Amino acid sequence: MALDETTEELARVAARGDHRALGELLKRIEPDVLRHCGRILPYRQDAEEACQDTLLAVARNIGRFEGRARFTTWLHIVTANCARTTYRSLKRRSAEQSSDELPLQRPDVARVSVIAGSRLDLLDAMEALEADKPDLAQALVLRDICQLDYSEVAEQLGIPLGTAKSRIHQARKYVQSALGDAYGF
């Protein structure tokens, strides 16, 4: 998300309790949040749901933004977490659907679109990583989804640079192994 310094200042003002600044901030970040959610979730409706969840999370939690890191870094994390939560929720709803209900109106993306199917497989691998090794998942999300550089990941997680690099490497190997199992490599 390439937001400008005005956005950073709006975030600082909103974090101090200015409701007008918060409203302006939410309007300003919405297109970028939607675009970011769309990179994670293959269906526009799902991306829109995750976007709304993200905006709500920002509104509820802006007071926790301390300004130590850039607002965009904080927003990346909130956005990625909301998109992954939306995905888990959709997956759970789909699994809970009984056999006598009408099937979902969506086609099976794994069969329809290689890109969408791969993205869902990646989300499954990330979900497994987070359940098994949450520290690795955090580092991977910051580096590969939020596209922070290694030093920003280390700073955000409060760990040495070498540890951040190691966690990212281990997380990539974990995800690669999970995807290899899914695709028979």
Side-chain angles (χ1 to χ4, degrees):
M1 291 181 213
L3 302 171
D4 59 16
E5 287 304 314
T6 306
T7 305
E8 295 289 333
E9 181 57 29
L10 271 173
R12 286 189 287 276
V13 173
R16 291 192 296 267
D18 186 318
H19 295 288
R20 195 164 45 188
L22 176 60
E24 179 62 31
L25 177 67
L26 294 175
K27 279 193 284 188
R28 185 176 288 241
I29 65 173
E30 183 175 12
D32 289 319
V33 169
L34 180 58
R35 191 170 30 261
H36 193 67
C37 289
R39 284 188 217 137
I40 299 171
L41 297 163
Y43 290 105
R44 180 154 179 90
Q45 269 183 301
D46 299 340
E48 289 171 351
E49 181 179 332
C51 177
Q52 291 305 308
D53 291 345
T54 301
L55 296 175
L56 184 59
V58 168
R60 285 183 176 159
N61 297 305
I62 192 68
R64 295 183 186 162
F65 173 65
E66 298 171 353
R68 286 184 282 145
R70 294 182 55 81
F71 171 73
T72 52
T73 302
W74 184 78
L75 182 59
H76 277 303
I77 295 166
V78 173
T79 302
N81 287 340
C82 286
R84 289 172 36 226
T85 299
T86 297
Y87 172 70
R88 283 192 295 271
S89 172
L90 292 168
K91 189 175 168 185
R92 187 175 41 255
R93 280 187 258 164
S94 177
E96 291 171 353
Q97 184 179 13
S98 71
S99 59
D100 29 305
E101 289 181 29
L102 290 174
L104 291 175
Q105 295 300 318
R106 298 181 186 178
D108 179 2
V109 292
R111 293 188 184 133
V112 174
S113 165
V114 172
I115 294 169
S118 298
R119 203 180 302 172
L120 293 174
D121 290 337
L122 179 59
L123 285 170
D124 285 339
M126 288 293 299
E127 187 176 346
L129 175 63
E130 184 160 8
D132 194 26
K133 301 178 185 235
D135 290 347
L136 300 184
Q138 280 183 323
L140 187 65
V141 165
L142 291 173
R143 176 68 185 126
D144 290 349
I145 295 177
C146 299
Q147 299 176 339
L148 301 181
D149 64 37
Y150 290 102
S151 61
E152 289 174 312
V153 172
E155 180 183 329
Q156 192 66 36
L157 296 176
I159 58 177
L161 180 60
T163 303
K165 288 180 178 181
S166 175
R167 285 183 185 178
I168 292 163
H169 177 74
Q170 290 173 21
R172 286 176 178 159
K173 285 181 74 164
Y174 185 102
V175 170
Q176 183 179 24
S177 174
L179 291 175
D181 292 345
Y183 289 101
F185 298 135

